[in-house]
Every structure is written in C-alpha cells, then in structure tokens.
Amino acid sequence: SAITARSALQSVGHQYDALAISGCDAAPGGTAGNGYFTCTEHYNGSVWSTVDNVNTMRKQFGAGGSAGDAFFAGGQSPVVGNNNITTEEYNGSTWSTRGNLNFGRRDMSGAGTTAAGLAMSGDAPGHASTEEYAGSGIYKTLKVCAVTGSQA
C-alpha cells in the first residue's frame, strides 16, 4: 500500500517504476477533502518510498512523464486558488518550479514527457484548451478541431 492515503492525485510511470504526486485527503463518501499534500511517493515494483516534496501543494492537476522525468501543471491549490498556472518538473530527485500554463485550470489531464508533453482540457476558464509543453516551462497553445483532430 502507498504510504499516504489520498485522492485527487496524479501518477506517472509504469508498473515497476512509478510516482504518486500530491493530492488531498479523502473525505467520507470518496469525495476529495480539504487537506492538501505536498508529498511524492515512488514505487519500485514492490515497495513505496517517499521522495522530494512538490513545491506547491495541489489537487486535480495534469501530469506526464516517468518516475525519473516528470512534470505536473495546473490544478487547485489552497494558496493559489482554483486555477493554478504553475508547472513543476521532477528530475528523479527534486522538483523545480518551471513556467506557466497559458490558461490556469483544474480537473485537467496531462500526457507525454517533460520534453514533449500535453496539458489538456480542465475546468473553466480555458477548459477546452490543449497546451503543448516543450520543457523548461515553454507552452504553446494548440487549437484542435473536434471533428478531424487536426491542429489549427
């Protein structure tokens, strides 16, 4: 079992090398609670261990990458509020704050790597936005056609 029970977290990696990132406490009924966590835990295929904490606690963010090279962006934070714009990158040992999303949002999804990632959708404002992440905090807003999937 993971070390810290929580909800509204994200994970990256695979079955034998994964991270569980940030999140919040689980409230009765399975809903997300009000207590936020900064913890990150690493799973090596058999046991969980704690690794470096994230810089800004949050929940409902997007994440991508691997256990040794990850990013997470956006989300809801008790410090920043509902539509966080910041991005953090993990290099296998420490989290570093990087650039900002063009559109802050929560309840979003992420994919890819720190060099070629995506921050997708989320809760308003900018809820239909897809942003391409090129590492070191560089974002490019993409407009994707819902019918063809082509970029505009």
Side-chain angles (χ1 to χ4, degrees), residues 9-27:
L9 70 155
Q10 291 289 339
S11 61
V12 297
H14 57 81
Q15 182 179 4
Y16 301 108
D17 193 21
L19 293 178
I21 308 165
S22 202
C24 64
D25 62 340

Side-chain angles (χ1 to χ4, degrees), residues 29 38 55 60 81 86 115 147:
T38 58
N55 294 299
Q60 300 169 318
T86 59
V147 177

Side-chain angles (χ1 to χ4, degrees), residues 60-61 74-76 82-84 101 103-109 120-129:
Q60 300 169 318
F61 51 89
Q76 181 179 354
N82 283 337
N83 299 308
N84 198 316
L101 289 164
F103 302 100
R105 53 202 185 273
R106 65 186 185 279
D107 292 330
M108 57 187 292
S109 186
M120 302 169 282
S121 203
D123 201 359
H127 65 276
S129 299

Side-chain angles (χ1 to χ4, degrees), residues 7-82:
S7 65
L9 70 155
Q10 291 289 339
S11 61
V12 297
H14 57 81
Q15 182 179 4
Y16 301 108
D17 193 21
L19 293 178
I21 308 165
S22 202
C24 64
D25 62 340
T31 60
N34 294 323
Y36 291 77
F37 295 106
T38 58
C39 59
T40 302
E41 296 174 13
H42 177 255
Y43 184 68
N44 67 5
S46 60
V47 297
W48 287 94
S49 62
T50 57
V51 294
D52 191 44
N53 289 341
V54 298
N55 294 299
T56 305
M57 63 179 83
R58 50 188 126 162
K59 63 182 180 181
Q60 300 169 318
F61 51 89
S66 66
D69 185 31
F71 76 94
F72 80 102
Q76 181 179 354
S77 166
V79 177
V80 178
N82 283 337

